[in-house]
Amino acid sequence: MSKKIIALSVLLLAISSCGFQPMKNQGAIKVGSISFAESVPSSIKDKLKILQNDRSNNLGLIIENYELKERKTYGGNALRALEAEIKGEIEIVISNGENTINKKLVIVKNYSVNELNPLSERETIKKLEQVIQTQLIDQIILEVRLLEM
């Protein structure tokens, strides 16, 4: 019992003496302004609220022209849809006063088409749309961080 108390006290002494402090708000990204085009859905706008608005920062982010496209691949004897792909595209403009960067970010997801169960196909499309939006937001945050460096 006394060995445990001694070990615990040594551990606490080591942690307190080395100035250990947990990092707070490590993933915070500050931008001066964010603006959205009308084609950007509200779900993307809500998810981008993690970007903090800081008027002293001259970094501006403009999100333009969000599109979601679906394309089916046909084949086989009856020329039925075998698989489909959903492509999410978004255009962003990042400026920091000196540089302006225009980027078109694209995410493509494939899924197999099930004509026998259209309800599951619609649910698959909805889920893939959410995944695409999340990955586009991750790419936007990555681009902003790269310009901040």
Side-chain angles (χ1 to χ4, degrees):
M1 181 72 174
S2 65
K3 288 183 180 182
K4 288 182 182 179
I5 294 174
I6 293 172
L8 184 61
S9 62
V10 169
L11 179 66
L12 289 175
L13 181 65
I15 289 176
S16 65
S17 65
C18 72
F20 172 77
Q21 291 180 354
M23 295 182 70
K24 295 179 182 174
N25 215 359
Q26 184 177 359
I29 300 171
K30 296 181 180 178
V31 294
S33 65
I34 303 173
S35 61
F36 300 96
E38 292 180 12
S39 64
V40 178
S42 61
S43 59
I44 290 182
K45 293 176 185 177
D46 292 340
K47 290 177 184 175
L48 278 175
K49 294 207 179 194
I50 62 168
L51 298 176
Q52 298 176 354
N53 283 341
D54 183 10
R55 296 289 176 200
S56 64
N57 193 343
N58 64 352
L59 189 67
L61 175 64
I62 303 170
I63 299 177
E64 304 175 335
N65 197 18
Y66 172 79
E67 289 184 71
L68 197 67
K69 299 177 184 176
E70 184 178 358
R71 184 178 68 105
K72 293 188 176 183
T73 304
Y74 295 92
N77 294 337
L79 281 178
R80 297 175 118 186
L82 298 176
E83 69 175 12
E85 74 177 17
I86 298 179
K87 181 163 70 169
E89 298 178 349
I90 198 165
E91 294 178 19
I92 61 170
V93 178
I94 305 171
S95 62
N96 65 354
E98 300 169 2
N99 300 330
T100 300
I101 298 173
N102 296 320
K103 289 227 174 183
K104 184 175 187 177
L105 307 174
V106 178
I107 301 288
V108 178
K109 295 289 180 188
N110 293 327
Y111 67 97
S112 64
V113 174
N114 187 359
E115 293 177 342
L116 299 176
N117 192 351
L119 181 63
S120 70
E121 186 175 336
R122 273 187 255 131
E123 290 300 316
T124 301
I125 291 171
K126 286 180 187 176
K127 186 65 177 172
L128 285 176
E129 183 177 357
Q130 292 174 356
V131 169
I132 287 171
Q133 287 180 358
T134 303
Q135 289 183 353
L136 284 172
I137 289 168
D138 291 343
Q139 282 189 359
I140 290 170
I141 291 171
L142 177 69
E143 293 295 332
V144 170
R145 281 188 176 157
L146 289 174
L147 191 64
E148 279 183 340
M149 294 175 129

